[in-house]
Amino acid sequence: MEIVLKLLNNYYYFVAMVLFVIGFHTMLTHSNLIKKIIGMNIMDTSIFLFFVAIGYVRGGRAPIIQEGAGYQYINPLPSALILTGIVVAVSVTAYALSLISKLYAHYGTVDADEIALIRAREER
Amino acid sequence: MLVAALDFLLLSFLIVCAIAVARIRDLISAVIIFAAYSLVMAIIWQMLGASDVAITEAALGAGVTTFLFIATISKTKRTE
Amino acid sequence: METVIYNFLPIWAVMFPIFMSVIILITSRRSEKLRNGLSVATAVVTFLSIAAMYPVIMSGKVIVFTLFDILPGLGITVRVDILSFCLAAISSFIWMLVSVYSIDYMSHEHGGNRYFPIFIFTLGSTLGIFMAGDFFTLFIFFELMSLISYVLVIHEETREALRAGYKYLIMTIIGGLALFFAIILTFELAGTVSLSEGTLITVPSTLAFLAFIAFLIGFGMKAGMFPLHVWLPDAHPVAPSPASALLSGIMLKTGAYGLLRVIFHVFNVSVIKEARWDLLLGVIAVITILLGSAVAITQFDLKRRLAYSSIGQMGYIILGMALLNEKALVGDVFHIFSHAIMKSTLFLAAGAIIWKTGLRNINDLHGIGKKMPVTMGAFTLAALAMIGIPPLNGFLSKWTLSLGALDAGAPVYVVVLLVSSLLNGLYYLPIIIAAFFGGEEHGEGVKIKVSEASYKMIIPVAILGIGCLMFGLMPNNIAFELSLKAASFLFNHAMP
Amino acid sequence: MAIHVPVLLIVILLGASYSVPLLDRYRKNLAFPLTIASLSAVFVFSLYLIFLVGRKGPFFYHLGGWPPPWGIELSVDFLAVYMLMVLSSIGLLVMIYGAKDLRHELKKEVLSWYYTLYLLLIGSMMGIALTNDLFNMFVFIEISAIASCGIISIKEDRRCLEASIKYLILSVLGSGCVLLAVAMIYMVTGNLNFVYIAAELPAALALYPFNILIALSLFIVGLGVKSALFPLHVWLPDAHSSAPSPSSAVLSGLVIKIYAFALIKLLFRVFPPQIYAAVPVLDIILFLSVLAVLVGSIFAMVQDDIKRMLAYSSIAQIGYVFMGIGLFGDRALSGGLLHIFNHAMMKSMLFMAAGLIIYATGIRRIKDLKGIGVRMPWTMGAFTVGALSMVGIPGTSGFISKWYLALGALDLGRPFYVAIILLSSLLNGIYYFPIVIDAFFGTKVEPRSEHRDVPALMLVPVLILAAGVVIFGFFPGPLLNLIEKAMTR
Amino acid sequence: MEDIVVRAVSRLIVPFIQLYGLYVIFHGHLSPGGGFAGGAIVASSMILYGISFNLEAGSRKLSHDLSSLLESGGALWYLLVGLIGILLGSNFLANKIAGVPLGTPGQLLSSGIIFLLAMGIGAKVASTMVTLFYSLSGGEDSDGNRT
């Protein structure tokens, strides 16, 4: 019961973890490379969700200063971090996709297992 | 209370989307669902007060990333 | 404590050959004569610089010099005491003779441009081992010598040589790693590995035992001690004969020297006696002696037989350490001298025969003594000394060893010595008898016209052969004096 | 001005990195000189930093003038300076070597992109070494991951592409773990600065022990994947062997080390020591490192491609670094740190030597290398020095790091690990020496027709590194000094 | 996609998207968004143009030379602006501390160098994204895989 309550209180963290596991699992188990990259994106966004949830102050407002208002703001630092994180994630995605299309040109498939098979056959 | 309900709805939508992305075999569909996932994620972030992140995610996760995925898939195979 | 003198001379004696080896390598492309001349000159100068230390050492002083530190507290240090001097003197002396011998020997072989620099470099590193001031320096030169002498072993580059060389290399690495382990354990236990610090480990413990075993493996490997001797009978015969003479005559002794230092510097007599490690050494020594001699009988390749004989003789030296008393130690150090002289005589003589006739099989050597009387004469002297016939130096060392064994209250070792002498006789005498009294057929009735080898080869052999006789005839010779002093020095050092 | 040197290092490299493609368009022949010039400048600057830190002591640099908890902080201490020295020296030498080799291995159009990626890689690694901020470290780790995948995939043959996608995916997994760990740490401490986290963590440990433990293990897994710790090494052999030789040299020599270095920094500077007493993380690292050392060597023995063999050997050698981390004593850790530099020298030299052989003759198979030493004595001489150093022969730098690791193991009363080190040295000997022996002695092979002369420019870096191995084998004093200071908290 | 509706709509909408992107870039210090998000928006407008007309027409609008100039130039601009801090005697990327005039809060020119930085970032991101898209969809020779 206690655990359920704890979960209810921290449901953002919980959802973030669930998404992380889904993303991680997709990345590890699917042999399709594009699927892997989507999994990577899910994994990354889940961590960003986690970050945002850390910075969230209940009842706080977005950290945009307006004159003369005494609001309580949410922590802006995680947002700054996530922005950087998104940049990184997008660049990795883009790079991975360009690699994948080149791999397709060479192997005719985007499936990691099939590529490994082709490689194994070649080396024999 | 309403806000909390909306939260739950959006979060469960996220999970459903994520699982759907993982399970669906048509890559284009997966990418579209992923775009929806990104948009919902952007909404959640906006609700959490991180509007900077939300706008970036909306532009990138739902926009450019999807373009890139689709461009790649159009050059390669569509089904897994 | 000992009186210490700081002097550059030992460093010079180590570094000069190493430096000259580079010069020789450079000049060897230009002129063969220059290369040979430089090699001999280097060996002579090195011998002279070692000999120059004689008066200082004889007055009981110790020469110490530290070059630089590699790790904090561990550096290249050089230290010459009486034991170091004994070994350095005999090795540089024999090196000098062998360098003269090599000139003609190598003129028929390929790769002289490689041989001479390596040969001189090995001299430097071997002297480095003997004159090292701590185990760290010793280790560095030990590895240097072992790796460089690999090139000497595989000089012929036949398939057989390469295989033997590979075995030698791997065993060397294993030995080096064991030594590394031992030294690091000693360093951890004692905080230093210097030879000038008195006994390093005074209490037997598990770690100390591990260190002892590791030392035994490391140095025993080089000394051809029983279960680790397997590389020796392969590696020594395949090397060119002058190199075999050095490998068997001198480089084996580096292992023996290391063991002496371990027993009397790292540990001491009381620790070893208390922990009964001397028994272990004794058993190993007996097995080594009997095995080496017995297997030598079954070998018909001349150099291979000599190599097995070396294993047996190294057994004597290990036995001398195991007895842990001063008399045995005298015999031990003297046997290092005598074996160095005897074995190099034998290998050089065998080399002269092979060089002249190309024959390696013992059965082909009938009547060779009549054609090469000087060579075979020296061979005979050395072989008789090996067996232990009285007026020769081998007899003197065995006699002292036996006295030591009796002193230690272990007459069984005397029996072992006698048995092994008998076995020695069994494999040396037939060669001599056949050489002088046998008919003149070479194997399948081939007649080869043979005369003596060139004088550059005979003279070193003859000098060494006469050495066997002289050191035996005169019991008060310089080598024996040195042995006496070295033994008392070591023994008193180890008895607090 | 002196105070700005640390940030200038990164700015120079990134600036040069972005200018190269521009230059390539307008002044083609200036791209390479610019690369070399920036790398040399960085090398000089990092030497200057060693001098500066030695004289004035460690200092911090605040980006944007914002002091820490808010701003990003660069910490210029002995540890960082040591790593900067390693990165800049090896980086410069490998690039000098690459001048000719890349022209041979890559297409002309992508040459300038290679310089871009290379400078980006070195710059980001310097960032990892310098930064004192957890998230900033993550960003640099990601940049270096992309750049290092880039310098593999840039040689567009299918093996490289496959290797780099494998590397990319595993490395993204690793950085996902690192990012989550960063989030965890931020959650419990509210800080990203190393110093502040270290101050907060002991108190936080009592409140949220699980979060911190999860963060610790995620760091180890994430950085372990990137530095090819044993069961996570699967990407390394393909990636390092198929890449162009300069890439292999810098990947094996520097890239895997920088992550191990980051882990050292985290474990040593950030996490409180009492956590290691409570949970056996270090023992797990130690166990894995033992496996790495042995399995890496055993796999290396059965390879017949020389670069693949070197790659497997890297797995074994990174095991030494992790063994130093796992033992966690002062001397063991200094052994590990020392091995970072020593292995960087040895392995990049070996890869460059292998690259030279491939450049000159096209031979990759170990069996075909017989007699190569007679034709390429200098190259194989350097290779021999590297092999000796791998085995740990005294007088080479490999010996010094082994000595320290072994002493560290004995300090903790664990002679077993000394035995492991010795066993692996023996294994190293078993697979390195036959190559050397075959190269110099034994059967001579006919010189093949496609023999190409080796330009001096390629040979010089190899010889410099070989000399470095020997020099630091005899005079490791300055290095040890630096590491000793780095070890003091 | 030769659809007249799509073409007409996108012709109409692209300028507005671009304007919005520029707005996001230049108001990064005042409102949500910034160089990166704005750059991505500008890029997506160009990609939209490329998709709805055809790729060749799209890539003609932003030539390879220009985009690579923008890519490198954007990053270099960022570094150069960062150096202003050092030149003014403070640290790298220093803004207020170095004495850069900030202007009045709430106005466009109110953030010192951040405004300048955002411009650089926006240009780089936009051009990089476009290059990436074209190289992925096979519009031109693919070597734009860096960020």
Side-chain angles (χ1 to χ4, degrees):
Chain A
M1 203 57 220
E2 203 181 338
I3 290 179
V4 174
L5 272 178
K6 257 190 179 166
L7 275 183
L8 276 178
N9 279 337
N10 299 312
Y11 55 85
Y12 280 114
Y13 299 152
F14 176 72
V15 171
M17 285 304 120
V18 169
L19 290 177
F20 183 83
V21 172
I22 293 174
F24 204 82
H25 184 259
T26 314
M27 234 185 136
L28 275 183
T29 55
H30 281 255
S31 63
N32 187 303
L33 290 171
I34 293 178
K35 230 19 175 332
K36 272 182 198 281
I37 303 303
I38 299 180
M40 182 204 93
N41 272 299
I42 292 179
M43 185 176 86
D44 279 349
T45 41
S46 76
I47 302 173
F48 302 149
L49 178 62
F50 189 78
F51 255 121
V52 173
I54 294 169
Y56 180 55
V57 181
R58 215 161 280 239
R61 295 189 52 148
I64 302 164
I65 297 177
Q66 312 227 302
E67 272 180 73
Y71 297 118
Q72 187 187 17
Y73 296 111
I74 66 153
N75 187 349
L77 188 64
S79 306
L81 303 184
I82 298 158
L83 275 180
T84 324
I86 290 178
V87 176
V88 169
V90 169
S91 30
V92 173
T93 308
Y95 173 59
L97 287 175
S98 72
L99 263 184
I100 288 172
S101 63
K102 274 178 197 161
L103 266 178
Y104 185 81
H106 279 135
Y107 286 93
T109 174
V110 288
D111 193 290
D113 292 352
E114 282 175 31
I115 291 175
L117 262 175
I118 294 173
R119 278 276 319 273
R121 220 175 297 135
E122 268 172 9
E123 266 162 32
R124 218 176 312 118
Chain B
M1 199 57 219
L2 199 65
V3 173
L6 187 60
D7 262 9
F8 277 115
L9 195 67
L10 290 176
L11 287 174
S12 31
F13 185 77
L14 274 187
I15 296 180
V16 171
C17 278
I19 294 174
V21 165
R23 298 254 49 96
I24 208 155
R25 300 192 67 81
D26 181 14
L27 288 175
I28 293 278
S29 317
V31 170
I32 300 296
I33 297 173
F34 178 67
Y37 168 94
S38 295
L39 267 181
V40 173
M41 192 61 105
I43 294 170
I44 289 176
W45 285 344
Q46 176 61 43
M47 283 168 66
L48 288 178
S51 26
D52 247 358
V53 188
I55 202 168
T56 313
E57 174 71 12
L60 280 166
V64 177
T65 312
T66 314
F67 284 138
L68 295 180
F69 269 116
I70 289 179
T72 313
I73 293 170
S74 70
K75 273 181 79 184
T76 59
K77 270 188 198 147
R78 186 171 164 171
T79 49
E80 194 176 339
Chain C
M1 272 304 280
E2 13 187 69
T3 328
V4 172
I5 289 181
Y6 299 94
N7 196 315
F8 192 68
L9 202 54
I11 284 284
W12 160 256
V14 175
M15 287 303 164
F16 178 64
I18 291 180
F19 173 70
M20 283 307 282
S21 69
V22 179
I23 304 274
I24 292 168
L25 184 68
I26 295 167
T27 54
S28 60
R29 301 229 169 121
R30 303 269 158 65
S31 135
E32 215 161 274
K33 272 224 172 79
L34 191 59
R35 176 195 79 194
N36 298 343
L38 274 178
S39 308
V40 175
T42 311
V44 172
V45 169
T46 312
F47 173 68
L48 289 180
S49 29
I50 299 274
M53 286 182 252
Y54 177 73
V56 181
I57 298 296
M58 280 312 266
S59 58
K61 288 169 189 148
V62 174
I63 302 176
V64 170
F65 196 85
T66 305
L67 203 56
F68 55 83
D69 269 9
I70 288 183
L71 295 164
L74 294 168
I76 303 271
T77 50
V78 170
R79 176 178 186 276
V80 187
D81 59 16
I82 182 86
L83 182 66
S84 308
F85 179 75
C86 290
L87 282 144
I90 186 70
S91 43
S92 57
F93 177 67
I94 289 179
W95 227 283
M96 187 171 72
L97 296 178
V98 174
S99 69
V100 176
Y101 177 94
S102 298
I103 294 174
D104 274 4
Y105 190 89
M106 291 316 287
S107 63
H108 282 200
E109 291 259 351
H110 72 282
N113 289 354
R114 183 170 81 209
Y115 174 85
F116 277 100
I118 299 284
F119 174 83
I120 292 299
F121 192 95
T122 321
L123 169 61
S125 48
T126 309
L127 289 179
I129 298 173
F130 290 143
M131 301 198 285
D134 56 27
F135 275 100
F136 189 74
T137 314
L138 195 155
F139 179 49
I140 291 177
F141 283 112
F142 193 81
E143 292 270 317
L144 213 57
M145 188 269 296
S146 304
L147 289 175
I148 285 293
S149 55
Y150 168 81
V151 183
L152 291 179
V153 170
I154 59 130
H155 185 84
E156 312 274 353
E157 291 188 18
T158 55
R159 182 177 285 272
E160 195 187 7
L162 282 172
R163 196 173 305 138
Y166 188 62
K167 203 190 230 177
Y168 168 78
L169 192 62
I170 292 299
M171 294 294 265
T172 291
I173 296 173
I174 295 177
L177 293 174
L179 213 50
F180 176 86
F181 190 44
I183 289 172
I184 206 163
L185 272 175
T186 313
F187 185 71
E188 184 72 10
L189 286 171
T192 172
V193 287
S194 173
L195 289 172
S196 322
E197 298 280 335
T199 307
L200 296 177
I201 298 177
T202 45
V203 195
S205 64
T206 321
L207 280 186
F209 181 63
L210 272 181
F212 182 73
I213 292 293
F215 270 127
L216 206 58
I217 293 175
F219 287 127
M221 185 87 71
K222 183 97 312 203
M225 196 179 73
F226 155 60
L228 310 168
H229 66 277
V230 285
W231 60 273
L232 193 154
D234 290 340
H236 285 187
V238 295
S241 293
S244 320
L246 293 175
L247 282 166
S248 251
I250 309 294
M251 290 185 215
L252 285 184
K253 307 300 182 299
T254 58
Y257 170 79
L259 279 180
L260 275 176
R261 290 292 189 193
V262 168
I263 291 174
F264 294 100
H265 277 85
V266 176
F267 305 95
N268 63 24
V269 174
S270 57
V271 173
I272 294 200
K273 270 200 176 136
E274 189 188 327
R276 302 300 298 150
W277 294 341
D278 55 335
L279 210 62
L280 176 74
L281 268 179
V283 170
I284 291 177
V286 169
I287 298 177
T288 312
I289 294 172
L290 295 180
L291 178 114
S293 312
V295 178
I297 299 174
T298 66
Q299 301 297 322
F300 288 95
D301 181 304
L302 180 56
K303 283 174 79 176
R304 224 174 145 76
R305 184 173 278 193
L306 292 179
Y308 270 106
S309 151
S310 281
I311 298 177
Q313 301 290 319
M314 289 311 289
Y316 293 159
I317 295 174
I318 296 171
L319 181 63
M321 297 170 204
L323 292 173
L324 292 179
N325 64 42
E326 202 177 329
K327 256 196 197 123
L329 214 51
V330 176
D332 202 49
V333 178
F334 189 65
H335 196 67
I336 291 180
F337 270 111
S338 5
H339 182 242
I341 296 174
M342 297 184 292
K343 199 38 74 58
S344 22
T345 318
L346 289 172
F347 264 117
L348 291 183
I353 294 167
I354 292 168
W355 188 71
K356 213 58 199 171
T357 67
L359 297 174
R360 296 176 70 111
N361 197 304
I362 288 164
N363 293 332
D364 297 342
L365 294 180
H366 293 280
I368 195 83
K370 290 169 197 162
K371 295 183 171 162
M372 304 175 75
V374 183
T375 313
M376 271 322 278
F379 188 94
T380 309
L381 275 176
L384 291 179
M386 279 286 185
I387 302 167
I389 306 289
L392 296 161
N393 59 355
F395 169 73
L396 194 54
S397 49
K398 277 188 193 175
W399 176 255
T400 337
L401 271 176
S402 310
L403 285 181
L406 290 177
D407 252 20
V412 61
Y413 290 138
V414 181
V415 178
V416 171
L417 285 175
L418 285 174
V419 170
S420 116
S421 297
L422 196 67
L423 292 172
N424 285 356
L426 271 179
Y427 60 82
Y428 277 124
L429 285 176
I431 305 176
I432 300 167
I433 292 169
F436 283 106
F437 307 109
E440 292 197 14
E441 72 273 14
H442 295 285
E444 298 116 23
V446 191
K447 290 243 173 192
I448 298 176
K449 279 194 73 117
V450 185
S451 59
E452 277 294 357
S454 70
Y455 69 96
K456 272 184 205 149
M457 287 169 76
I458 300 176
I459 289 174
V461 179
I463 291 177
L464 286 168
I466 291 167
C468 292
L469 189 62
M470 297 308 280
F471 284 136
L473 268 179
M474 295 182 284
N476 290 329
N477 60 55
I478 173 168
F480 201 73
E481 286 290 310
L482 281 170
S483 314
L484 274 174
K485 282 211 159 189
S488 87
F489 169 81
L490 266 187
F491 202 73
N492 294 330
H493 179 89
M495 292 297 270
Chain D
M1 205 55 197
I3 203 83
H4 298 297
V5 168
V7 81
L8 282 181
L9 291 179
I10 302 174
V11 170
I12 289 174
L13 285 174
L14 295 190
S17 155
Y18 292 123
S19 323
V20 164
L22 278 186
L23 271 183
D24 189 50
R25 221 156 265 284
Y26 305 111
R27 282 247 159 44
K28 217 161 192 66
N29 47 356
L30 277 183
F32 181 71
L34 178 73
T35 312
I36 289 294
S38 55
L39 283 170
S40 330
V42 163
F43 177 58
V44 172
F45 275 154
S46 31
L47 288 188
Y48 173 69
L49 273 184
I50 292 182
F51 165 76
L52 192 71
V53 173
R55 232 186 45 186
K56 288 191 182 157
F59 62 94
F60 294 105
Y61 186 84
H62 301 142
L63 272 183
W66 292 95
W70 301 289
I72 292 170
E73 187 180 59
L74 301 183
S75 155
V76 191
D77 50 15
F78 287 102
L79 201 60
V81 163
Y82 169 71
M83 203 60 207
L84 287 185
M85 187 268 296
V86 177
L87 292 171
S88 57
S89 54
I90 307 286
L92 175 63
L93 287 173
V94 170
M95 200 62 216
I96 294 175
Y97 163 85
K100 285 267 172 2
D101 186 280
L102 288 171
R103 241 155 256 188
H104 165 65
E105 282 193 74
L106 297 180
K107 286 185 214 144
K108 249 207 178 87
E109 310 87 78
V110 294
L111 211 54
S112 70
W113 286 118
Y114 189 92
Y115 301 143
T116 304
L117 288 169
Y118 187 88
L119 291 169
L120 203 58
L121 179 62
I122 302 284
S124 58
M125 287 197 288
M126 296 208 146
I128 299 175
L130 276 173
T131 188
N132 210 21
D133 182 280
L134 214 44
F135 195 81
N136 194 229
M137 191 176 89
F138 164 77
V139 173
F140 279 126
I141 285 177
E142 281 291 48
I143 298 177
S144 67
I146 295 181
S148 49
C149 283
I151 61 172
I152 302 169
S153 69
I154 198 158
K155 179 184 169 190
E156 293 189 10
D157 71 359
R158 37 204 304 181
R159 291 188 52 199
C160 288
L161 289 175
E162 200 239 347
S164 60
I165 192 92
K166 204 197 252 175
Y167 180 25
L168 183 70
I169 284 177
L170 278 168
S171 131
V172 160
L173 273 178
S175 33
C177 292
V178 171
L179 185 57
L180 191 56
V182 172
M184 292 276 186
I185 292 286
Y186 181 68
M187 184 175 153
V188 296
T189 62
N191 272 308
L192 288 170
N193 188 288
F194 283 176
V195 179
Y196 284 72
I197 296 172
E200 296 264 349
L201 267 188
L205 192 59
L207 289 172
Y208 314 98
F210 287 111
N211 291 32
I212 296 173
L213 265 183
I214 290 173
L216 178 60
S217 39
L218 282 173
F219 270 131
I220 292 172
V221 171
L223 294 172
V225 170
K226 284 162 172 288
S227 54
L229 181 59
F230 163 62
L232 312 170
H233 68 274
V234 283
W235 55 269
L236 188 143
D238 278 344
H240 288 197
S241 62
S242 60
S245 298
S247 306
S248 313
V250 80
L251 286 173
S252 251
L254 299 177
V255 175
I256 53 173
K257 309 298 174 6
I258 192 75
Y259 303 123
F261 172 82
L263 195 60
I264 290 179
K265 212 168 163 180
L266 286 172
L267 294 182
F268 191 66
R269 287 270 164 83
V270 176
F271 284 96
Q274 56 262 40
I275 200 170
Y276 309 124
V279 267
V281 259
L282 293 180
D283 286 333
I284 293 171
I285 294 184
L286 208 48
F287 178 69
L288 292 179
S289 71
V290 168
L291 285 181
V293 165
L294 297 180
V295 175
S297 305
I298 290 168
F299 274 127
M301 268 181 223
V302 297
Q303 303 302 323
D304 64 347
D305 179 316
I306 184 159
K307 280 178 77 175
R308 225 175 147 74
M309 184 210 85
L310 291 175
Y312 271 106
S313 153
S314 282
I315 296 173
Q317 300 288 321
I318 200 75
Y320 284 130
V321 179
F322 274 98
M323 194 181 276
I325 298 175
L327 288 169
F328 215 64
D330 263 6
R331 277 201 277 201
L333 213 48
S334 3
L337 273 178
L338 195 59
H339 201 64
I340 287 182
F341 181 48
N342 290 341
H343 183 243
M345 281 200 296
M346 299 186 281
K347 195 42 76 60
S348 43
M349 177 182 81
L350 288 172
F351 264 119
M352 287 195 274
L356 272 176
I357 294 169
I358 295 169
Y359 178 86
T361 63
I363 300 175
R364 287 182 73 114
R365 280 160 59 87
I366 291 173
K367 276 183 205 140
D368 300 341
L369 289 178
K370 285 196 176 118
I372 198 91
V374 184
R375 269 193 287 156
M376 306 174 70
W378 291 106
T379 310
M380 278 318 284
F383 193 94
T384 311
V385 171
L388 292 177
S389 182
M390 284 284 170
V391 180
I393 302 297
T396 56
S397 62
F399 172 76
I400 310 285
S401 44
K402 258 172 208 172
W403 176 266
Y404 265 82
L405 278 174
L407 268 187
L410 285 180
D411 277 348
L412 301 174
R414 291 169 157 177
F416 168 71
Y417 293 101
V418 184
I420 293 292
I421 293 173
L422 297 182
L423 182 58
S424 93
S425 304
L426 177 64
L427 294 176
N428 283 346
I430 289 176
Y431 62 83
Y432 273 111
F433 281 154
I435 300 176
V436 174
I437 294 169
D438 278 351
F440 282 110
F441 312 111
T443 45
K444 305 274 190 297
V445 280
E446 295 281 301
R448 291 183 18 170
S449 52
E450 53 178 304
H451 186 77
R452 190 187 284 122
D453 276 338
V454 171
L457 196 63
M458 285 169 83
L459 198 55
V460 165
V462 179
L463 293 181
I464 289 177
L465 284 175
V469 167
V470 174
I471 288 171
F472 285 113
F474 277 111
F475 305 100
L479 273 186
L480 291 173
N481 240 333
L482 200 59
I483 288 175
E484 195 187 326
K485 280 181 197 150
M487 281 290 103
T488 50
R489 291 191 187 235
Chain E
M1 253 181 271
E2 304 290 315
D3 192 70
I4 186 71
V5 180
V6 173
R7 285 194 174 189
V9 171
S10 63
R11 188 179 305 227
L12 204 63
I13 210 171
V14 161
F16 287 102
I17 300 180
Q18 282 179 341
L19 192 63
Y20 178 62
L22 291 177
Y23 169 82
V24 171
I25 292 177
F26 290 130
H27 287 77
H29 49 284
L30 297 176
S31 63
F36 194 78
I41 292 169
V42 173
S44 52
S45 78
M46 296 183 191
I47 293 172
L48 179 64
Y49 183 82
I51 290 178
S52 54
F53 289 84
N54 56 44
L55 295 174
E56 284 73 41
S59 57
R60 238 179 288 127
K61 291 282 173 196
L62 185 67
S63 71
H64 195 87
D65 274 358
L66 181 62
S67 78
S68 66
L69 181 72
L70 280 179
E71 260 180 68
S72 306
L76 283 177
W77 173 253
Y78 188 98
L79 292 176
L80 286 179
V81 172
L83 286 177
I84 291 177
I86 291 183
L87 290 182
L88 290 178
S90 181
N91 282 357
F92 185 70
L93 278 179
N95 195 4
K96 190 179 169 187
I97 296 175
V100 179
L102 281 192
T104 37
Q107 297 293 299
L108 187 60
L109 298 174
S110 67
S111 61
I113 61 168
I114 291 179
F115 180 70
L116 300 174
L117 294 179
M119 275 165 50
I121 298 173
K124 170 156 181 63
V125 171
S127 57
T128 309
M129 290 293 167
V130 174
T131 318
L132 265 173
F133 177 77
Y134 285 126
S135 71
L136 275 178
S137 54
E140 55 189 87
D141 187 40
S142 52
D143 56 353
N145 48 10
R146 289 133 282 264
T147 12

